[in-house]
Amino acid sequence: GYIGSHMVHELLGAGEKVVVLDNLTTGFRFLVPPGVPLVVGSTGDRDLVARTLRHHNVTAIIHFAASIVVPDSVRDPLGYYRNNTLNTCNLVDVAIECGVRQVIFSSTAAVYGNAEHVPVREDEPTAPIAPYGTSKLMSEIMLHDAGKAHGLRFVILRYFNVAGADPKLRTGQSTPQATHLIKVACEAALGKRAKMDVFGTDYPTPDGTCVRDYIHVTDLIEAHKLLLDHLRAGGDSTTLNCAYGQGYSVRQVIDTVKAVSGVEFRVD
């Protein structure tokens, strides 16, 4: 997938041995670097996960696998709970069975819902407003309980809006029909879309459009690497936000893409 492929490149560059497990429903074989074993299957397949962990002598898991489109989770909540929550339960259960005690989990700022305070702190109450956020929060709770019961040490990273691509151009956001604002705007500038749509211009923000905090994928992956080192050094479990604390509106993003590309594409 998008973020996982960046992680694999970072780990390889650090001399790590990596194995990828992906069912390729939204991921792509071509994003896996040469020489990295790819096991095609689900995190919910207990036997496959156990064989993979044992065969490759896995000592730490970085768990990116999930469904991530919020409107889809509203239409298919049970599918999201199955893929995001139940499969995480299976993965963690088998990991503990196989002796793995270090997990980094990709969570989301969606666990906060419409947070009262901005910027959002990690101790803000969790109140997700869609099944996507709830499915991730349930997984977080499972990790906490597994930590108490089995000595599992974990890091939960609550991503805000991940953007950008590998500076060496090895990997990036490759999903067709992307819903990510920056990719959509870039596709409009490239002529791959006839136009792009802005959904709402009357929000209580300086220019009326939604404001989000974006983090570059390379910085996000650096955080994962640092926290993997933290766990290996015996560090405590922790939950952290991944963002910059600086928001940009939809209009600002679009205007920036227009300025950088020199293309005045249509926006409705």
Side-chain angles (χ1 to χ4, degrees):
Y2 169 42
I3 302 170
S5 60
H6 286 82
M7 188 80 247
V8 173
H9 282 289
E10 173 68 20
L11 292 170
L12 286 180
E16 301 275 1
K17 291 183 178 178
V18 185
V19 56
V20 175
L21 173 67
D22 196 316
N23 65 9
L24 299 180
T25 53
T26 57
F28 304 94
R29 286 180 188 270
F30 69 81
L31 292 181
V32 181
V36 173
L38 170 63
V39 179
V40 179
S42 169
T43 52
D45 184 335
R46 296 179 64 90
D47 291 339
L48 179 64
V49 171
R51 286 199 307 273
T52 302
L53 295 180
R54 291 190 173 115
H55 178 72
H56 295 276
N57 298 312
V58 171
T59 58
I61 293 172
I62 306 179
H63 177 30
F64 298 99
S67 303
I68 62 167
V69 181
V70 175
D72 287 352
S73 78
V74 176
R75 285 190 290 270
D76 181 24
L78 298 182
Y80 269 65
Y81 293 130
R82 186 183 312 113
N83 193 39
N84 292 2
T85 312
L86 295 181
N87 284 357
T88 296
C89 181
N90 278 314
L91 178 67
V92 172
D93 190 22
V94 175
I96 291 167
E97 199 176 274
C98 293
V100 179
R101 290 294 185 274
Q102 299 170 1
V103 174
I104 297 178
F105 176 62
S106 301
S107 191
T108 172
V111 299
Y112 297 115
N114 292 322
E116 183 178 345
H117 302 104
V118 177
V120 183
R121 290 165 47 97
E122 287 86 350
D123 55 6
E124 184 81 16
T126 50
I129 57 176
Y132 167 62
T134 305
S135 72
K136 289 286 194 174
L137 182 59
M138 291 164 76
S139 297
E140 290 190 12
I141 293 167
M142 287 192 296
L143 285 168
H144 280 279
D145 291 340
K148 293 170 188 169
H150 304 291
L152 181 76
R153 285 182 304 110
F154 57 86
V155 173
I156 293 166
L157 295 180
R158 293 172 175 167
Y159 304 171
F160 281 65
N161 296 268
V162 187
D166 174 42
K168 297 180 181 176
L169 305 182
R170 297 169 297 185
T171 185
Q173 223 291 39
S174 304
T175 309
Q177 288 85 51
T179 58
H180 298 68
L181 171 61
I182 293 176
K183 186 177 183 193
V184 169
C186 290
E187 287 181 345
L190 288 166
K192 293 185 176 183
R193 294 172 182 257
K195 65 181 181 73
M196 66 172 294
D197 297 307
V198 173
F199 300 98
T201 55
D202 57 355
Y203 289 91
T205 60
D207 65 16
T209 62
C210 288
V211 174
R212 293 188 175 90
D213 191 328
Y214 296 90
I215 179 170
H216 196 281
V217 65
T218 303
D219 288 339
L220 180 69
I221 292 307
E222 176 67 11
H224 285 68
K225 185 64 176 65
L226 290 169
L227 288 159
L228 179 61
D229 295 340
H230 164 81
L231 289 177
R232 285 173 168 168
D236 293 336
S237 298
T238 188
T239 299
L240 298 170
N241 289 340
C242 290
Y244 295 146
Q246 167 67 54
Y248 294 92
S249 74
V250 174
R251 285 195 195 276
Q252 284 178 300
V253 170
I254 291 170
D255 289 345
T256 301
V257 173
K258 285 182 175 180
V260 170
S261 66
V263 178
E264 186 61 38
F265 52 86
R266 177 179 162 190
V267 180
D268 288 350

